[in-house]
């Protein structure tokens, strides 16, 4: 099941490379770059997990972020900071689905459509996502 858990926690535990984790988060800020990225287009996650579950996940994450109970420490947030939450969900026994949820901070967290080729950012902080999914 790919539904976000009430017990999800964004941990700042020390990790050498968050990109090697199964579930991770990344807080970044805008920084102009001239680098252009070319890559493979992936199908939208809601097609795979269903629009209802995708909408549920977005709404739950946005509420949890704005209620201030997701991070294990208080972060210094600035206007325009970006938060990406990357999760690996077991879709069926033979396939994992990569879910990416993105938010922008403007006094509160607001859902932002994820654009995988946006590289005008620099990472401020990152970490592991603990207990991401409900056990149903």
């Amino acid at each position: 099941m790919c539904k976000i858990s009430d017990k999800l926690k964004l941990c700042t535990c020390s990790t050498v490379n968050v990109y090697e984790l199964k579930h991770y988060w990344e807080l970044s800020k805008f920084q102009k770059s001239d680098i252009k990225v070319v890559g493979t287009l992936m199908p939208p996650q809601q097609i795979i997990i269903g629009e209802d579950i995708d909408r549920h996940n977005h709404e739950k994450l946005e509420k949890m972020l704005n209620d201030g109970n997701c991070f294990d420490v208080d972060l210094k947030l600035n206007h325009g900071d970006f938060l990406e939450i990357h999760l690996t969900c077991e879709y069926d026994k033979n396939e994992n689905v990569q879910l990416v949820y993105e938010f922008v901070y403007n006094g509160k967290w607001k859902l932002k459509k994820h654009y995988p080729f946006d590289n005008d950012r620099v990472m401020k902080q990152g970490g592991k996502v603990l207990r991401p999914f409900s056990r149903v």
Side-chain angles (χ1 to χ4, degrees):
M1 178 60 100
C2 298
K3 254 186 173 175
I4 296 298
S5 163
D6 291 332
K7 299 186 182 345
L8 176 136
K9 190 59 78 182
L10 303 177
C11 177
T12 53
C13 22
S14 62
T15 306
V16 176
N17 185 357
V18 295
Y19 305 114
E20 293 177 352
L21 297 172
K22 186 174 180 181
H23 313 293
Y24 69 94
W25 62 273
E26 177 181 350
L27 181 67
S28 59
K29 66 179 182 177
F30 178 78
Q31 179 176 321
K32 184 65 181 148
S33 170
D34 293 328
I35 298 171
K36 302 299 177 213
V37 176
V38 178
T40 304
L41 186 61
M42 303 213 22
Q45 62 203 29
Q46 62 267 30
I47 292 173
I48 298 168
I49 67 170
E51 288 184 33
D52 289 342
I53 292 175
D54 189 54
R55 184 173 35 262
H56 165 84
N57 289 351
H58 276 121
E59 290 170 0
K60 179 160 245 169
L61 285 168
E62 189 171 315
K63 180 174 179 6
M64 291 171 74
L65 288 166
N66 287 315
D67 287 349
N69 60 357
C70 274
F71 292 98
D72 63 343
V73 297
D74 288 332
L75 297 176
K76 181 175 175 358
L77 300 172
N78 296 307
H79 181 81
D81 280 351
F82 296 95
L83 175 68
E84 286 184 24
I85 301 173
H86 296 256
L87 306 170
T88 303
C89 175
E90 185 178 302
Y91 177 66
D92 63 30
K93 299 224 185 285
N94 300 318
E95 183 179 3
N96 287 333
V97 176
Q98 300 300 312
L99 305 177
V100 181
Y101 297 101
E102 187 169 338
F103 301 87
V104 64
Y105 186 78
N106 292 316
K108 69 177 192 168
W109 290 108
K110 190 74 177 153
L111 175 66
K112 181 181 180 313
K113 186 167 175 68
H114 177 65
Y115 181 65
F117 301 114
D118 183 3
N119 60 340
D120 287 341
R121 298 181 195 174
V122 61
M123 182 194 266
K124 291 173 60 172
Q125 196 163 1
K128 184 186 300 188
V129 178
L130 304 175
R131 301 179 303 279
F133 299 113
S134 298
R135 304 258 186 235
V136 177

